[in-house]
Amino acid sequence: MNIIKRLALMAGAATLSLTACDPHKDIQKETIPDSIAYTEWYSQGVGEDEATVYYTLKIETQMATLTAADAPENGHIISQQPLEVSYTKPNVRLRFLSDGGRFAGYIIDKQYTTINGINVYIMQLFEVDDKGEVIMGDDGKPASTMIFWKE
């Protein structure tokens, strides 16, 4: 779980840009998926040894696997953790089966975000307690977050 808590986007490894909303322009129709079953989501973070860790969240139906590896493709697997998944558009809830850790959040429409020039969905997650409330740190910010993206 320690690796998961350190999960964060790394500047330089992938270019993430957010598109500001212009309230005077027509916004495209929402494209948030009705289902996230049978999808793969990606992220990058820094491991305990300060090396880059590449994450793949592979969602089946109500189960998923979070894999951490030392390379984006065909890398050495550092860890794999099973999760339960619940999705009610656009809200996502994950529960790690190994330790019961819980994360909840939402999916951001891909018309607002690009990575390396490609529009992507963003899954923003926050660690939550048993009541589903975000766990806050001493600084008043969420104690632990995860961000994933997919085309």
Side-chain angles (χ1 to χ4, degrees):
M1 189 68 174
N2 206 12
I3 291 174
I4 303 306
K5 289 185 179 180
R6 297 189 64 187
L7 183 63
L9 287 177
M10 291 184 52
T15 305
L16 173 68
S17 64
L18 301 175
T19 305
C21 296
D22 182 348
H24 303 288
K25 288 187 175 182
D26 291 334
I27 295 178
Q28 297 174 5
K29 185 178 178 183
E30 176 186 281
T31 64
I32 294 174
D34 292 327
S35 171
I36 58 172
Y38 307 105
T39 60
E40 287 189 14
W41 297 75
Y42 307 97
S43 191
Q44 292 176 210
V46 179
E48 292 178 13
D49 62 355
E50 301 302 317
T52 301
V53 178
Y54 300 88
Y55 296 92
T56 302
L57 177 63
K58 186 174 183 177
I59 300 172
E60 296 300 325
T61 52
Q62 295 176 331
M63 297 299 294
T65 302
L66 180 62
T67 302
D70 62 2
E73 293 181 29
N74 302 319
H76 174 302
I77 294 175
I78 299 168
S79 69
Q80 283 190 313
Q81 297 185 43
L83 303 103
E84 285 182 337
V85 178
S86 170
Y87 178 69
T88 305
K89 183 180 174 180
N91 301 308
V92 180
R93 299 181 74 74
L94 301 177
R95 185 176 71 84
F96 286 89
L97 298 178
S98 59
D99 64 5
R102 299 170 191 264
F103 284 79
Y106 48 87
I107 294 177
I108 299 170
D109 196 317
K110 72 181 197 174
Q111 66 182 312
Y112 301 114
T113 312
T114 62
I115 294 179
N116 295 332
I118 299 170
N119 285 68
V120 295
Y121 293 106
I122 297 291
M123 183 187 298
Q124 173 67 64
L125 300 167
F126 306 92
E127 187 172 17
V128 296
D129 60 20
D130 292 340
K131 296 177 186 176
E133 296 181 19
V134 176
I135 298 172
M136 305 301 274
D138 294 337
D139 59 0
K141 296 179 182 176
S144 184
T145 65
M146 296 191 294
I147 297 175
F148 293 92
W149 64 86
K150 93 172 204 63
E151 288 185 44

